[in-house]
Amino acid sequence: MTTPFDSIPLWAAIPVGGLLVVGAFLTLIGAVGFLRLGTFYERIHAPTLGTSGGIGAIMIASMIFFSASTRSLVVHELLIGIFVTVTTPVTFMLLARAALHRDRAEQNGNVPPKQPPEETPAEGRSP
């Protein structure tokens, strides 16, 4: 009985292994950053790196592996990559804004104050 691992050529196995290691490392950095950073506002950045960069590298490794093992172009993982790339930053931004609104409403002391909107000069006039 042969498995897909037996039939993958060396030219595909090397980049797949490297991309898996890079993806795992980026995901580990995101997880460690999530654990080590103190406040919610600091913690919001680390998982974005892990999910975007780590999943991107693992997704590319999966595309190479299955394209080489099935001998046909496999690109449906791109949908996963697009979905993760679009939804993760938007979700974290919405979470951060909700936390900022909550902390300002509770008058928490470690939140930056609201800044007034910057005035822009009217069209056609110089500043």
Side-chain angles (χ1 to χ4, degrees), residues 5-40:
F5 302 111
D6 296 337
S7 64
I8 189 166
L10 184 63
W11 64 264
I14 292 173
V16 166
L19 285 167
L20 287 176
V21 169
V22 167
F25 181 70
L26 288 173
T27 304
L28 179 66
I29 288 173
V32 169
F34 184 72
L35 292 174
R36 300 246 357 211
L37 296 173
T39 67
F40 175 79

Side-chain angles (χ1 to χ4, degrees), residues 30-117:
V32 169
F34 184 72
L35 292 174
R36 300 246 357 211
L37 296 173
T39 67
F40 175 79
Y41 300 105
E42 292 171 343
R43 286 181 179 172
I44 202 81
H45 298 288
T48 304
L49 168 72
T51 55
S52 299
I55 297 239
I58 292 170
M59 177 195 62
I60 293 170
S62 172
M63 288 172 55
I64 294 171
F65 176 79
F66 286 107
S67 292
S69 65
T70 62
R71 292 179 175 74
S72 65
L73 187 60
V74 177
V75 293
H76 61 272
E77 282 96 348
L78 287 176
L79 292 173
I80 298 168
I82 291 169
F83 181 73
V84 168
T85 303
V86 169
T87 58
T88 301
V90 171
T91 303
F92 283 133
M93 183 190 68
L94 291 173
L95 284 171
R97 285 188 164 212
L100 186 63
H101 177 72
R102 181 199 62 210
D103 287 344
R104 284 185 180 155
E106 293 176 356
Q107 297 177 348
N108 196 345
N110 62 354
V111 178
K114 258 188 179 174
Q115 296 179 352

